Amino acid sequence: MKRIAWILLLAPLLITACAPNNVREEKSWEKYFTQHKVEGCFMLFDNSKGLFKVYNLERAKERFLPASTFKIFNSLVGLETGAIKDTGMVIKWDGITRSVPEWNQDLSMREAFRVSAVPYYQEVARRIGKPTMQKWLDSVKYGNMKISSIDTFWLDNSLKISPDEELGFVKQLYFDQLPFHKITMQWVRSVMLMEKTDKYELSYKTGWGIAGPKEIGWVTGWVEENGRPTFFVLNFESEDPDIEMRNVRMSILKGILQEEGYFEGMK
């Protein structure tokens, strides 16, 4: 009964998408986390079948800093308010050399999203401003809706969101169910598309943040085959400061999706 009660709280995903008896715990996915010596969770919702699979239910309801997965939300608000004119809008490099070479140049929104350029999106947040950003956080009910400094709050553990909330958020984005104009949501979906083949389309945003001694990793989005989306969220943590985060994220994500039969165009 305790498990069912928790599942019923997974709005906005479950109330609109599937019933409690559609949820399956996939303990077999643990091997992907063990392989990389990380602790985490993975959630997968097959929209056409109404089937919801989860590894590590308890972690799925905990909130963590969203790190760069917040660029999805930041993009939506930026485009909706005009802080970003369109996906081709360029923000000039400020001349400060940073550790990621791809950030040290003028970038369009589309380019900044793909290389996850923190300085670009910090400037977007400053142009949006704290009152307007807070209004949209409250309207969407994004995580705990807390802002500290306008250009760091998604990185400094002020704003936090749970994996199930992230999954509900991207599902609403896909189906135009967020309180933004449809063209705004369409533009953001377009920049989230990272892989496109004749068999599948893979759309997502990654995240990498620090919470005390822990490195926090995220990937959230959807895989689409034959016009049918399946939504996912990966969240994990490690105390290894030298973790190869980019490789670990994609290894776990693609390992699980391949095990579940994706990327073959048969879903």
Side-chain angles (χ1 to χ4, degrees):
M1 290 299 295
K2 180 179 178 182
R3 175 185 164 194
I4 291 175
W6 175 77
I7 290 168
L8 288 172
L9 293 174
L10 285 181
L13 177 65
L14 293 177
I15 288 177
T16 58
C18 61
N21 59 2
N22 293 114
V23 178
R24 180 192 305 169
E25 290 188 66
E26 288 292 336
K27 294 185 179 179
S28 65
W29 292 345
E30 182 178 8
K31 60 182 177 287
Y32 295 100
F33 297 87
T34 301
Q35 175 187 351
H36 295 289
K37 299 178 181 178
V38 298
E39 178 184 346
C41 66
F42 192 87
M43 311 180 80
L44 191 68
F45 178 66
D46 184 329
N47 191 74
S48 64
K49 296 179 181 177
L51 183 61
F52 189 47
K53 298 182 179 182
V54 183
Y55 166 68
N56 198 344
L57 281 168
E58 288 304 308
R59 185 178 179 90
K61 61 184 177 180
E62 294 181 33
R63 284 173 169 167
F64 305 87
L65 81 166
S68 284
T69 64
F70 186 71
K71 288 184 174 71
I72 302 172
F73 188 95
N74 206 352
S75 295
L76 288 165
V77 179
L79 288 164
E80 189 74 8
T81 61
I84 304 173
K85 292 187 296 184
D86 53 42
T87 60
M89 192 190 88
V90 173
I91 292 180
K92 294 285 188 179
W93 178 39
D94 60 9
I96 299 173
T97 301
R98 297 176 174 87
S99 60
V100 181
E102 293 85 356
W103 299 357
N104 301 325
Q105 58 184 316
D106 299 348
L107 292 169
S108 68
M109 176 202 152
R110 182 176 296 276
E111 293 166 336
F113 193 94
R114 182 167 285 273
V115 300
S116 205
V118 171
Y120 184 101
Y121 277 92
Q122 287 181 309
E123 177 59 23
V124 169
R126 288 190 287 265
R127 294 183 185 186
I128 292 168
K130 190 171 182 178
T132 301
M133 186 72 81
Q134 187 68 65
K135 182 193 78 170
W136 284 104
L137 287 170
D138 294 343
S139 296
V140 174
K141 299 193 184 308
Y142 186 95
N144 65 0
M145 300 169 281
K146 291 185 178 179
I147 297 180
S148 54
S149 173
I150 186 58
D151 55 6
T152 62
F153 67 95
W154 65 94
L155 300 168
D156 65 12
N157 291 282
S158 299
L159 182 67
K160 294 185 178 182
I161 190 168
S162 67
D164 66 88
E165 289 171 325
E166 281 266 27
L167 192 61
F169 174 65
V170 295
K171 177 179 177 289
Q172 289 179 302
L173 171 59
Y174 182 92
F175 287 113
D176 287 333
Q177 294 171 342
L178 293 170
F180 301 98
H181 284 97
K182 286 189 176 182
I183 187 62
T184 296
M185 291 182 279
Q186 179 182 328
W187 276 340
V188 173
R189 290 195 298 270
S190 75
V191 299
M192 288 180 66
L193 179 59
M194 299 295 177
E195 296 182 23
K196 182 175 182 178
T197 73
D198 58 353
K199 294 182 178 179
Y200 70 90
E201 294 184 6
L202 186 62
S203 300
Y204 62 85
K205 184 67 194 77
T206 57
W208 181 359
I210 298 175
K214 297 177 180 179
E215 308 280 332
I216 307 294
W218 289 95
V219 190
T220 185
W222 56 84
V223 57
E224 188 171 351
E225 297 187 12
N226 301 306
R228 293 191 289 269
T230 295
F231 304 94
F232 59 78
V233 61
L234 166 66
N235 168 276
F236 63 86
E237 65 185 48
S238 170
E239 293 193 10
D240 179 3
D242 299 319
I243 185 173
E244 296 183 359
M245 182 64 76
R246 294 176 178 84
N247 294 335
V248 172
R249 285 185 308 215
M250 299 315 294
S251 175
I252 296 175
L253 173 66
K254 292 196 169 182
I256 293 176
L257 291 179
Q258 285 173 342
E259 179 179 319
E260 292 298 310
Y262 292 92
F263 306 134
E264 298 299 326
M266 303 298 290
K267 289 289 185 178

